[in-house]
Amino acid sequence: MATRGGFGWLCVWYLCALLDVASLQGSGGMLYPRETSSREVKELTGVWSFRADMSANRNEGFDGAWYKSPLATTGPVLEMPVPASYNDITQDSMLRDFIGWVWYEREVQVPSRWVKDEGTRVVLRVGSAHYYSVVWVNGIQVAEHEGGHLPFEADIGGVIREDPTVPCRITIAVNNTLTLTSLPPGTITHMNDRTKYPGGYFVQNIFFDFFNYAGIHRPVLLYTTPKVYVDDITVFTDFADSTGLVKYKVSVKGASSANLKVTLMDKDGHCVATSSGPSGVLKVADVMLWWPYLMHDNPGYLYSMEVQLSASDGQSTFEDVYALPVGIRTVNVTRTQFLINNKPFYFHGVNKHEDSDIRGKGLDWPLIVKDFNLIKWLGANSFRTSHYPYAEEIMQMCDRHGIVVIDECPGVGIKDIRSFGNASLAHHLSVMDELVGRDKNHPSVVMWSVANEPAAEMPPADYYFSTLIKHTKMLDPSRPVTFITDSNYARDKGAPYVDVICVNSYFSWYHDPGHMEVIPIQLKTQFENWFGKYKKPIIQSEYGADAVPGLHSDPPMMFTEEYQKNVLQSYHSVFDEKRKQYVIGELIWNFADFMTAQGITRVVGNKKGIFTRQRQPKSAAFILRERYWRLANATGKLPPWTRYPCSL
Ligand code: BDP
C-alpha cells in the first residue's frame, strides 16, 4: 500500500475506480439483523433444553433422530442458557471437558402475522456456535455450518408455514471436535492401552492456549424481511479536502430489479447526501471523519446509511429498509507508518479473549460494557481479536467508541504439517470470506489478521500463506493484511506477502526465564532483523508475563506482580526508541486473565492479564495506564475532558 497524503480529486476517483467495491462482497449477505420499519427481530435468548450425547461413538442423537421429536421425549434434559458456553454451567467435569455432539432445543411462538404473510421471509440466525452445527426446525434440517465465531442463517418461512398450528421447535446440534482441517485445528487421540485407560477413551489435542469452550456462544434470533429484500451492502469510504465519499454497492435478492433510494444521515438525523440505484457514490460536504479514540475530540463519528427498496413481483409490492452505520475514514500503510485519515496512528492497545467466569465465551453485555470502560480507562486505542472473530455487537461498540481493531480469523495453532493441505486451505479461505463478508463495513476494522503463530517454517507454508493473503486482499483491497508471527525468526514465510509485520515475543519468560536484563538486547535484535529484511512497519503484537494477583517479591521473581511490571517497562524503553523509526504499535498480552486447558504451566488459566479474570487491576495495569495516556498525549489530540488523569 502506498502513502496517499495530499491526494486530490483526480487520485481519489482513480483509486475508487481501481477499487471495485463489488470485490469486497462475500458469497451472500450477512447483514446484522436490525429492526427497521420493514424488519422485525425476535431474540431467542434464555434457557434452552440441552443434552450432551455421551454415547461411546457420540452418535446416539443422530441414530435416534433426536431432532424429530421434543428433546425431553428422547431422554433427560438439562436447562442451558443461550448464549453461553455449556462447559462451566454445571458441576459435572464430564460436561466441562466434553468432546462431541451436544443438543439444544427450544420452542418459539412465531407471531402469526409473520406466518400468514407469504410476502415475509422469516430467517433463523445463529450468531455463532462452536464448531460444527446442524439446525432443524420441526424436525426438518434447515442449516449446516462449519466453524465457530461467525454467524449463519436459514430462511425457515417454508417450514413453519407447512403446519402453522404447531409451535416452531428449533433443534441445534453442535459438535466441538477439532480436526486437522478445522480452524483452529486439533487432533483426537484414542488411548487404546487398557492397562491405563478405560475402553473408548480419547482426548482432544489442541495447539492453542485458551480453553476450548463450546456451545451456542452468541444470540440466536428470528428476524423478518420482505420477500424482496436488501441482501447485502458494501461501502468503501474516502475523502478529499472536506468532502467525504461513500462508494456503495447494494445487492438485492428476491427480484431481478428493484428501485433503491440511498440516504446518508448525520448523527442528528439530517440528510447529508442521497443517491439511487444499486451502486453509486455519496458525496458529503464538510465531512465528519471517523477518528480513533484519543486521536480526535470527536472519535467514532458514524453516519447512518439508509437503504430503501421497493419492488414488485407483478402481484404485490415489497418495501424494505435497512440502516447501516457508516464511518468515513481511510487506512494506509507506508514503509514505516500506519495512517488513519492520512495521519500517523500508533497502536497502544491490548489483546483480548472472549472469556469470563461461568459464561466462558458466551456473549454477555455487562462484561462487554465493563471491558470497554476498562479499555478507555487504560487509555488504549485499539485491540486485536486474538485469536478469532469477536461478536458483531463488540465490533459495533468499537465503531461507536473509536476503538481500532485488528480483526483476526481463527487460524490459531496451525502447527501440524497436515494442516497445510488443500482441504485446510479451502476451509481457511472460506472462513476469510465469511469474516470479511461480516466485518467489511466496520470503520473500526483497519487490518485483517489471517493467522496466529503458524508453523510457518514448514515447506507448504509459503504456498498456503501466499494464497491466503492474496485471497484476503482480493476480498478487500482497502485494508492491509497481516499474520502474526513469533520471535522465531525462521518462521517468516508469509512475511513477504503481508503489509505489516506483527511479532509476538516473550523474552525473559519462555526464553531465558527470570532474566529480564536480556529483554532490551533481544527486543532490539528482533526489530532490527525484521525491519532489516522486510522494510515494513512492525507491531509488537504480543508481549507480557504471568502474574498471580497478590503475589509479590522484590527483587522481582517470575509470577509476581513486580516481575510482570518490570517486564513491561523493559519492553517499553525499546518501544520508545523504535517507535520513532518503524514500530507502529504495542499490544499487551493480555487484557485479562483467561481460562486454558489444564497443564503444568497454567495455574487455573493464563495469568498474563493486566486485569484479573474478574476485571480487577494488577499493578501492571497502572503502569500501562500511565504509559498509554502519555502516548495519547504525545501522539493524539486530546480534548480536555479526556486528559489523564481523569475518572472515566
Ligand atoms: C502466545 C500465543 C498466545 C498465548 C501466549 C502465552 O499467541 O495465544 O496465550 O503465547 O503463552 O505465543 O501466554
Side-chain angles (χ1 to χ4, degrees):
M1 295 230 161
T3 323
R4 288 227 335 270
F7 261 36
W9 277 100
L10 195 67
C11 297
V12 170
W13 285 109
Y14 174 69
L15 263 186
C16 285
L18 271 185
L19 185 107
D20 177 5
V21 171
S23 63
L24 272 88
Q25 289 189 258
S27 43
M30 283 303 284
L31 290 174
Y32 185 76
R34 290 175 190 282
E35 285 189 324
T36 66
S37 53
S38 62
R39 295 172 174 229
E40 290 179 76
V41 176
K42 187 176 167 73
E43 282 223 25
L44 307 184
T45 294
V47 176
W48 290 48
S49 298
F50 175 91
R51 185 184 311 134
D53 182 345
M54 298 272 183
S55 62
N57 66 1
R58 302 293 197 247
N59 221 46
E60 194 185 328
F62 286 90
D63 294 341
W66 287 355
Y67 49 87
K68 279 202 172 146
S69 52
L71 200 55
T73 63
T74 54
V77 291
L78 300 176
E79 294 197 328
M80 191 56 69
V82 172
S85 302
Y86 58 74
N87 309 76
D88 292 345
I89 299 294
T90 73
Q91 300 311 103
D92 183 356
S93 66
M94 296 277 283
L95 184 59
R96 183 191 60 205
D97 299 326
F98 182 77
I99 303 296
W101 290 100
V102 298
W103 293 71
Y104 287 80
E105 183 209 71
R106 76 163 272 182
E107 279 187 4
V108 192
Q109 200 57 58
V110 181
S112 60
R113 64 180 184 284
W114 293 10
V115 183
K116 279 188 200 136
D117 180 3
E118 299 266 344
T120 295
R121 280 173 73 238
V122 180
V123 183
L124 171 64
R125 188 186 217 255
V126 180
S128 82
H130 280 32
Y131 284 93
Y132 200 100
S133 313
V134 186
V135 184
W136 297 262
V137 170
N138 296 340
I140 296 166
Q141 187 177 324
V142 294
E144 193 165 355
H145 183 257
E146 183 179 1
H149 319 285
L150 288 163
F152 55 95
E153 58 182 37
D155 182 344
I156 64 164
V159 178
I160 57 177
R161 283 183 191 116
E162 263 176 30
D163 183 358
T165 60
V166 298
C168 167
R169 183 169 44 83
I170 299 171
T171 313
I172 306 182
V174 188
N175 192 330
N176 62 347
T177 308
L178 297 174
T179 68
L180 285 165
T181 56
S182 61
L183 273 193
T187 55
I188 297 283
T189 308
H190 293 271
M191 308 299 208
N192 296 325
D193 182 346
R194 291 287 163 271
T195 66
K196 292 186 176 166
Y197 303 98
Y201 198 83
F202 65 91
V203 291
Q204 168 85 71
N205 309 300
I206 53 172
F207 315 111
F208 53 85
D209 182 37
F210 49 91
F211 191 82
N212 190 25
Y213 279 113
I216 302 179
H217 284 159
R218 297 185 191 149
V220 180
L221 40 89
L222 291 176
Y223 72 93
T224 63
T225 74
K227 217 167 79 182
V228 183
Y229 62 100
V230 174
D231 176 55
D232 199 11
I233 305 174
T234 306
V235 297
F236 167 71
T237 67
D238 205 336
F239 66 94
D241 303 322
S242 62
T243 304
L245 300 166
V246 179
K247 191 177 186 197
Y248 73 86
K249 171 135 185 152
V250 176
S251 80
V252 171
K253 280 205 174 144
S256 51
S257 71
N259 290 323
L260 289 169
K261 191 173 158 220
V262 179
T263 314
L264 197 70
M265 317 277 222
D266 67 13
K267 246 187 174 150
D268 302 322
H270 298 129
C271 168
V272 294
T274 57
S275 179
S276 55
S279 59
V281 182
L282 297 157
K283 287 184 214 157
V284 188
D286 299 322
V287 63
M288 296 286 289
L289 295 178
W290 185 94
W291 287 98
Y293 174 58
L294 302 179
M295 201 175 173
H296 191 265
D297 52 13
N298 193 4
Y301 191 92
L302 295 174
Y303 292 89
S304 174
M305 183 175 143
E306 196 172 298
V307 178
Q308 285 171 282
L309 165 152
S310 72
S312 159
D313 66 357
Q315 293 159 348
S316 326
T317 304
F318 299 94
E319 303 210 327
D320 191 19
V321 177
Y322 191 85
L324 178 77
V326 171
I328 302 178
R329 58 108 184 91
T330 60
V331 172
N332 288 284
V333 175
T334 72
R335 201 162 153 267
T336 56
Q337 287 183 318
F338 197 95
L339 304 174
I340 296 185
N341 300 336
N342 300 330
K343 297 246 163 48
F345 176 77
Y346 186 76
F347 294 79
H348 42 91
V350 299
N351 288 279
K352 292 186 90 263
H353 264 300
E354 288 183 320
D355 175 271
S356 71
D357 286 336
I358 304 172
R359 293 140 187 84
K361 291 199 179 304
L363 180 133
D364 180 58
W365 276 113
L367 181 81
I368 292 174
V369 176
K370 176 74 175 175
D371 280 4
F372 272 81
N373 286 334
L374 287 176
I375 286 169
K376 294 176 94 171
W377 174 89
L378 201 60
N381 61 4
S382 50
F383 66 77
R384 165 180 160 227
T385 68
S386 42
H387 292 303
Y388 38 79
Y390 291 179
E392 288 157 279
E393 291 79 356
I394 296 177
M395 310 307 283
Q396 290 160 6
M397 290 274 287
C398 289
D399 291 345
R400 292 200 297 275
H401 290 266
I403 301 299
V404 167
V405 177
I406 300 173
D407 204 351
E408 189 155 292
C409 88
V412 57
I414 308 177
K415 305 283 189 196
D416 189 306
I417 196 156
R418 291 167 295 172
S419 292
F420 285 98
N422 289 340
S424 298
L425 180 57
H427 180 54
H428 207 145
L429 295 175
S430 78
V431 169
M432 287 313 301
D433 291 346
E434 287 181 33
L435 174 59
V436 174
R438 191 195 74 162
D439 286 352
K440 62 191 170 183
N441 294 325
H442 289 290
S444 55
V445 173
V446 299
M447 183 153 63
W448 305 111
S449 162
V450 298
N452 179 68
E453 296 185 357
E457 72 283 11
M458 290 184 173
D462 191 53
Y463 174 73
Y464 191 97
F465 285 107
S466 66
T467 310
L468 188 58
I469 293 166
K470 274 183 216 153
H471 181 78
T472 308
K473 288 183 181 218
M474 184 271 293
L475 288 172
D476 180 4
S478 77
R479 287 181 179 89
V481 180
T482 190
F483 83 95
I484 315 288
T485 185
D486 59 31
S487 54
N488 181 346
Y489 189 54
R491 295 192 178 149
D492 69 339
K493 296 218 179 57
Y497 314 104
V498 301
D499 299 297
V500 172
I501 306 269
C502 286
V503 191
N504 300 344
S505 44
Y506 289 91
F507 306 124
S508 89
W509 194 261
Y510 293 122
H511 320 277
D512 305 295
H515 293 282
M516 283 185 292
E517 60 280 6
V518 304
I519 294 174
I521 181 167
Q522 297 192 357
L523 189 56
K524 271 191 211 171
T525 306
Q526 163 195 287
F527 286 142
E528 282 158 16
N529 277 345
W530 283 99
F531 188 74
K533 184 155 180 198
Y534 291 106
K535 305 283 187 292
K536 293 178 183 180
I538 304 177
I539 294 177
Q540 182 73 41
S541 40
E542 286 181 28
Y543 72 106
D546 287 74
V548 178
L551 209 57
H552 296 285
S553 85
D554 185 36
M557 289 182 71
M558 291 176 78
F559 293 100
T560 64
E561 294 200 29
E562 286 73 18
Y563 193 89
Q564 184 185 40
K565 224 164 67 175
N566 284 22
V567 166
L568 266 50
Q569 285 168 323
S570 306
Y571 272 78
H572 294 164
S573 56
V574 181
F575 295 160
D576 279 337
E577 184 189 327
K578 298 294 180 190
R579 75 185 169 84
K580 300 193 175 89
Q581 301 168 19
Y582 48 77
V583 169
I584 56 164
E586 52 189 86
L587 305 175
I588 186 76
W589 189 264
N590 188 285
F591 173 74
D593 292 346
F594 58 91
M595 194 46 69
T596 63
Q598 299 182 65
I600 51 170
T601 59
R602 296 286 176 257
V603 188
V604 194
N606 187 309
K607 296 279 187 282
K608 293 195 185 69
I610 55 162
F611 296 102
T612 64
R613 202 182 192 208
Q614 295 71 35
R615 275 49 180 181
Q616 296 306 321
K618 302 181 193 172
S619 309
F622 297 97
I623 294 290
L624 214 60
R625 183 179 190 223
E626 247 186 81
R627 173 171 178 78
Y628 281 2
W629 281 96
R630 213 174 327 113
L631 284 168
N633 277 308
T635 60
K637 175 173 177 272
L638 298 191
W641 53 266
T642 51
R643 215 152 276 154
Y644 176 83
C646 68
S647 54
L648 285 169

